[in-house]
Structures are given as C-alpha cells and as structure tokens.
Amino acid sequence: MLNLAVCVSGGGTNLQAIIDAIDGGSITNTRITAVISNNAGAYALERAKSRGIEAACISPKQFGSREEFNQAFLEKLDSYQPDLVVLAGFLVVLPEMMIKKYKDRIINIHPSLIPSFCGKGYYGLKVHEGALKRGVKVTGATVHFVDEGTDTGPILLQQPVAVEPGDTPETLQRRVMEQAEWKILPKAIDLIANGKVRVEGGKALVSE
C-alpha cells in the first residue's frame, strides 16, 4: 500500500481528482495519509477533513526564519511516513534537505508541457497567460519528479491540450485541469503504486 502525503496551497482540485480516482478504483494500492498546506484558508484542508484524512497547516508565517520553517515542515512530513509526496498546487519552494531525503519520491503537477512555460515565476494563471501571449496552439500538463531545480526533474507523464480561439487564461486553465491535470496525476500515482516507474539516468521510465 502506497502512503501519500499531498501538499496543496489552494482549493485542492487535483487533490479531489486523486480522492475520486482512489474511490473509483483507477488508483489502486494507495491511500492518502495526510494533506499538508501552507495556507490555513486552503479549501483543500476542508476537502481532506470531510473525508477523514489528516489535515495539517504549517506556514512560513508561523516561524522566525525560513530555516525554522523548513525544519518544522520536514518534521511534520516525516511524522506521516509517506512513501510518495505529491505536490498538487503547492506554492512553496521545498527545502533542499527534503528533496534529498525524499529523492525520487516527490512528484509535481505543472500546467504546461515542460520545458515550455515553466521555471521561476510560472505558476497558476501566469502559466496560461504566458502560453496565450506566445500564441502557442497546444499546451497541456506535466507530471514530473522533483529535484533541486524548478520544474527540472525527470518527466513522468504529459498530456497535450489544444488552445482554442477566444481562450482567456481562466478558460484555458480550466480546460487544462479537466483534460490533462486531473487525468495524468492520478495515472502517475497508480503507476508508482504498482511498481511501474523507475528513475534511471535522469529519466523516468514507465513499464505498462
């Protein structure tokens, strides 16, 4: 059984997609042991509580320094003994010590086809604003393993989504979530839970 810790900063739509996929059987051998947010007002925490999932908030604002927060955050995460950490819209830069400790056991969902529209400054609507400004015809989402860089870890899954005439950042964001994020994040978790993914030579290899 794969124990998940899901880290979320906002509404938790990707968290809900994971919960629904576990309920529906498209994610197997998996349970969510905890949801952690840096935002006390995150609706994701309510989603977790309503399902009897442990929900915790730990914010940098609670600490005198970033180092203190990093240490407390890692200790909180460790207390849940996760096999896999899922960043589902988590707007906090992970401490390096956490990335090293959980090497190849942290995945992130990013709302573009990496390496496009990713890296520092590209998050939330900013990703879709960038895509529309550039005039791309296809965007999408990427699930990747997390390393010390920003959106630079091994790519696990990608799903393209067409950009349509008249799209706004908001309409494009919604369609990328519905057609890509909510599909490939649960699929990635199921692949990992069933031993079908390995990281080798800086690449994520999938065996169906």
Side-chain angles (χ1 to χ4, degrees):
M1 183 68 70
L2 188 78
N3 291 319
L4 298 184
V6 183
C7 299
V8 195
S9 292
T13 55
N14 275 305
L15 168 64
Q16 190 64 53
I18 297 168
I19 291 171
D20 292 345
I22 292 172
D23 288 347
S26 55
I27 296 178
T28 58
N29 302 321
T30 300
R31 64 186 172 199
I32 302 173
T33 55
V35 171
I36 305 173
S37 182
N38 62 306
N39 174 14
Y43 186 62
L45 295 173
E46 298 306 314
R47 291 182 193 268
K49 291 173 185 175
S50 71
R51 296 302 301 267
I53 299 168
E54 179 82 20
C57 175
I58 183 162
S59 168
K61 297 175 183 177
Q62 298 171 289
F63 301 90
S65 69
R66 191 54 184 249
E67 289 71 25
E68 288 178 287
F69 164 75
N70 288 346
Q71 185 61 45
F73 179 68
L74 182 57
E75 288 174 2
K76 175 62 73 173
L77 182 66
D78 287 345
S79 72
Y80 298 118
Q81 299 182 309
D83 301 308
L84 181 69
V85 180
V86 179
L87 308 183
F90 192 55
L91 303 180
V92 173
V93 176
L94 298 185
E96 187 175 335
M97 59 184 175
M98 176 181 161
I99 294 171
K100 288 181 176 178
K101 185 167 187 175
Y102 287 88
K103 181 176 172 58
D104 299 337
R105 291 195 291 146
I106 308 172
I107 60 172
N108 178 56
I109 181 79
H110 183 77
S112 76
L113 297 176
I114 291 173
S116 297
F117 311 109
C118 66
K120 189 174 181 180
Y122 279 111
Y123 60 90
L125 278 177
K126 294 181 184 297
V127 177
H128 307 292
E129 289 168 356
L132 291 174
K133 184 176 181 180
R134 186 67 179 87
V136 299
K137 307 305 180 188
V138 177
T139 185
T142 303
V143 176
H144 66 93
F145 284 93
V146 174
D147 63 7
E148 287 80 5
T150 304
D151 302 325
T152 56
I155 291 171
L156 177 49
L157 293 175
Q158 290 186 306
Q159 177 66 44
V161 174
V163 178
E164 297 181 358
D167 261 334
T168 65
E170 290 79 10
T171 61
L172 184 57
Q173 179 185 54
R174 183 71 187 183
R175 201 162 60 258
V176 168
M177 287 192 295
E178 292 175 346
Q179 296 183 10
E181 294 181 47
W182 299 347
K183 296 181 183 297
I184 62 173
L185 184 56
K187 183 178 180 181
I189 293 167
D190 185 64
L191 288 169
I192 293 169
N194 289 283
K196 295 181 178 180
V197 177
R198 72 182 191 278
V199 178
E200 190 176 288
K203 294 183 178 180
L205 306 177
V206 176
S207 58
E208 292 286 358

